[in-house]
Amino acid sequence: MKTLFLACVLAFFGLSANAQSKNKNAKIEMHVDGNCEMCKKRIEKAAFSVSGVKSASWDVSTEKLNLIVNEEKTDTETIQKAIAKAGHDTEGVKASDDDYSNLHGCCKYERTE
């Protein structure tokens, strides 16, 4: 009985430790709608406002945001919500109409439904 109990406890802690290991330097790429260098600054600033984002670089021509994040501190959805709050649609979260309307005229990209 003691052996069975000990085996169960070891299995539990072994699985728990394995399930909690998250990458501290995870590379993430996502699409973010935008048009210009002003958009680039805004998108990168919004990404950096999220705790755990170590690097953020948005490319104007491809509309791709490349990130390095600590997955122990944040996740993709949290970052996408912060960028959407700044007025830019991401592949997972759409900016509200109010946030989008606050963008400068040259930053208003064509929105898809």
Side-chain angles (χ1 to χ4, degrees), residues 4-65:
L4 179 61
F5 177 74
L6 182 59
C8 288
V9 169
L10 289 174
F12 173 76
F13 283 114
L15 292 174
S16 295
N18 191 24
Q20 293 176 358
S21 64
K22 293 188 177 182
N23 192 344
K24 291 185 179 183
N25 290 307
K27 293 181 181 179
I28 299 171
E29 181 181 272
M30 69 177 77
H31 178 79
V32 179
D33 290 325
N35 289 331
C36 62
E37 290 295 321
M38 285 175 50
C39 295
K40 177 179 173 64
K41 282 182 164 181
R42 187 180 310 104
I43 291 165
E44 291 173 357
K45 182 178 179 180
F48 277 120
S49 74
V50 178
S51 178
V53 173
K54 296 180 176 184
S55 172
S57 178
W58 184 74
D59 186 275
V60 176
S61 61
T62 63
E63 296 186 341
K64 295 289 182 188
L65 177 63

Side-chain angles (χ1 to χ4, degrees), residues 52-97:
V53 173
K54 296 180 176 184
S55 172
S57 178
W58 184 74
D59 186 275
V60 176
S61 61
T62 63
E63 296 186 341
K64 295 289 182 188
L65 177 63
N66 291 295
L67 302 163
I68 297 177
V69 302
N70 180 343
E71 291 180 324
E72 292 178 352
K73 294 184 178 183
T74 192
D75 57 27
T76 305
E77 185 178 355
T78 303
I79 298 165
Q80 289 180 352
K81 285 179 181 178
I83 294 168
K85 186 69 181 152
H88 294 273
D89 294 343
T90 68
E91 56 196 40
V93 178
K94 186 175 178 179
S96 72
D97 290 338

